[in-house]
């Protein structure tokens, strides 16, 4: 008889890329994860993986079985959720991806509060500024900035009027002066964010006469949004951040908004790969985050 735990370890091994990584997710040894997959292979009478001393990949049979294994796990999870909803509960695994700065400094305590309200939810959190492929990675929803380039994704607005803010610490402004116009940023040390190989060094502002894009330069660049945030707080230069990331710093005076209301729009959304992932947990999280963002940021 096929054991559901073995099917789950098979799928997790595919997603994680190795038995050892799948084992860590389940708190078991790599040998136990490998044994589970071998047991499943015996029940199915096929080889699910092609193994060598240096690599492991899905076999043709493994490729054929994988979507059925995912469907099996999804069906069991959906049945469990349905029963819980009948009792007025929200339960199950919620796999969420969030940006680095927003995730660590804003969302993390909110997610603690969300789980306290819904203790039946198991949260699997991915914190990274790299854009996850929601069609390939096992993620239920992702918090993302900007207008979506992939029209097949399902986006639920969290903070549609969010804007970027050119800001600096009071100490930096005292030493270097405040720019009177976005053009003046060319004379300032601007700390940039890089995603992949693209440096975001062209900052756009919504001026009364139309949008204006400024090419900025600086002596520090990072691929982590939280790092640029910390550099700005430390007085190393001007940063261009989402208001959602820095609302508390603006409110407490740790950062100064250099051009109030002129930053480009950076709408914040909760994004899923398809509508089947808009589970009660995802929908409840959307409402929870919208309320917090409207209260603390907007």
């Amino acid at each position: 008889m096929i054991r559901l735990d073995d099917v789950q370890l098979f799928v997790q091994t595919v997603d994680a890329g190795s038995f050892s990584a799948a084992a860590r997710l389940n708190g078991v040894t790599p040998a136990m994860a490998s044994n589970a997959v071998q047991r499943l292979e015996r029940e199915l009478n096929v080889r699910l993986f092609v193994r060598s001393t240096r690599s492991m990949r899905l076999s043709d049979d493994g490729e054929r079985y994988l979507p059925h294994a995912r469907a099996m796990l999804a069906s069991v999870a959906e049945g469990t959720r349905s029963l819980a909803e009948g009792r007025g509960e929200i339960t199950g695994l919620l796999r969420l991806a969030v940006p680095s700065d927003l995730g660590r400094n804003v969302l993390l305590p909110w997610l603690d509060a969300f789980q306290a309200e819904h203790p039946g939810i198991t949260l699997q959190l991915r914190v990274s500024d790299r854009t996850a492929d929601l069609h390939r990675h096992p993620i239920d929803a992702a918090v993302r900035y900007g207008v979506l380039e992939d029209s097949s994704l399902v986006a639920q607005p969290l903070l549609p009027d969010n804007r970027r803010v050119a800001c600096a610490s009071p100490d930096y402004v005292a030493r270097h002066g405040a720019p009177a116009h976005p053009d003046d940023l060319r004379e300032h040390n601007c700390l940039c964010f890089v995603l992949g190989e693209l440096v975001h060094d062209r900052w756009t502002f919504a001026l009364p006469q139309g949008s204006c894009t400024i090419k900025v330069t600086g002596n520090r660049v990072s691929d982590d949004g939280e790092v640029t945030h910390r550099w700005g707080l430390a007085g190393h230069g001007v940063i261009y951040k989402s208001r959602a990331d820095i609302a508390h710093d603006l409110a407490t005076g740790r950062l100064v908004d250099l051009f109030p209301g002129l930053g480009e729009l950076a709408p914040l959304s909760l994004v899923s790969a398809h509508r089947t992932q808009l589970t009660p947990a995802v929908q409840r999280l959307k409402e929870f985050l919208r309320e917090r963002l409207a209260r603390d940021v907007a």
Side-chain angles (χ1 to χ4, degrees):
M1 181 178 295
I2 291 176
R3 295 169 52 171
L4 192 64
D5 288 349
D6 294 348
V7 176
Q8 183 171 4
L9 272 164
F10 162 63
V11 172
Q12 289 178 328
T13 299
V14 174
D15 292 336
S18 68
F19 288 126
S20 58
R24 284 194 296 273
L25 290 173
N26 288 273
V28 299
T29 66
M32 292 174 67
S34 177
N35 289 339
V37 173
Q38 290 177 23
R39 187 164 51 238
L40 179 61
E41 289 176 324
R42 287 195 297 271
E43 289 292 337
L44 297 171
N45 196 29
V46 298
R47 293 291 299 274
L48 296 172
F49 291 102
V50 177
R51 305 171 179 85
S52 71
T53 55
R54 294 187 178 181
S55 66
M56 180 179 71
R57 63 176 177 82
L58 276 174
S59 67
D60 291 343
D61 285 328
E63 293 279 4
R64 280 189 287 269
Y65 186 68
L66 180 60
H68 300 287
R70 292 193 190 280
M72 186 190 309
L73 296 174
S75 180
V76 171
E78 183 59 33
T80 303
R81 274 197 301 267
S82 180
L83 292 173
E85 289 164 23
R87 299 190 298 268
E89 303 171 2
I90 294 180
T91 63
L93 177 64
L94 177 58
R95 299 166 297 186
L96 184 65
V98 299
S100 169
D101 196 0
L102 185 73
R104 290 187 174 92
N105 298 311
V106 179
L107 298 183
L108 199 58
W110 293 359
L111 292 173
D112 289 341
F114 181 74
Q115 275 195 288
E117 288 185 13
H118 307 288
I121 287 179
T122 298
L123 180 64
Q124 191 175 102
L125 189 64
R126 172 183 175 137
V127 181
S128 174
D129 284 322
R130 295 184 179 276
T131 303
D133 186 336
L134 298 184
H135 294 294
R136 294 183 56 201
H137 296 122
I139 296 172
D140 298 309
V143 176
R144 286 190 181 173
Y145 286 114
V147 178
L148 296 182
E149 296 180 357
D150 186 347
S151 60
S152 70
L153 298 176
V154 180
Q156 302 183 91
L158 295 177
L159 195 62
D161 57 351
N162 183 59
R163 288 187 177 273
R164 299 196 186 282
V165 178
C167 54
S169 70
D171 175 64
Y172 177 87
V173 173
R175 287 184 287 112
H176 300 278
H181 187 278
D183 280 334
D184 298 337
L185 289 174
R186 294 188 175 94
E187 307 303 320
H188 283 263
N189 193 42
C190 297
L191 313 177
C192 294
F193 174 71
V194 58
L195 183 60
E197 301 301 319
L198 179 63
V199 179
H200 291 264
D201 57 1
R202 296 181 182 275
W203 297 358
T204 299
F205 298 89
L207 303 180
Q209 63 271 29
S211 65
C212 158
T213 299
I214 309 298
K215 175 72 164 62
V216 300
T217 59
N219 64 3
R220 299 187 184 209
V221 178
S222 176
D223 64 350
D224 189 308
E226 185 184 12
V227 170
T228 58
H229 186 174
R230 291 188 181 187
W231 284 341
L233 289 171
H236 295 301
V238 179
I239 56 176
Y240 200 33
K241 296 286 295 179
S242 157
R243 177 172 285 275
D245 292 350
I246 59 170
H248 179 70
D249 298 315
L250 294 173
T252 57
R254 297 175 72 199
L255 290 174
V256 178
D257 187 345
L258 301 175
F259 311 109
L262 299 186
E264 69 176 333
L265 278 172
L268 190 64
S269 304
L270 189 66
V271 183
S272 298
H274 42 75
R275 294 197 173 276
T276 58
Q277 290 179 301
L278 302 184
T279 62
V282 171
Q283 296 284 41
R284 189 68 62 86
L285 177 66
K286 176 198 70 175
E287 296 302 326
F288 181 89
L289 293 180
R290 285 176 69 173
E291 291 174 5
R292 293 295 179 106
L293 287 164
R295 183 194 70 191
D296 293 358
V297 178

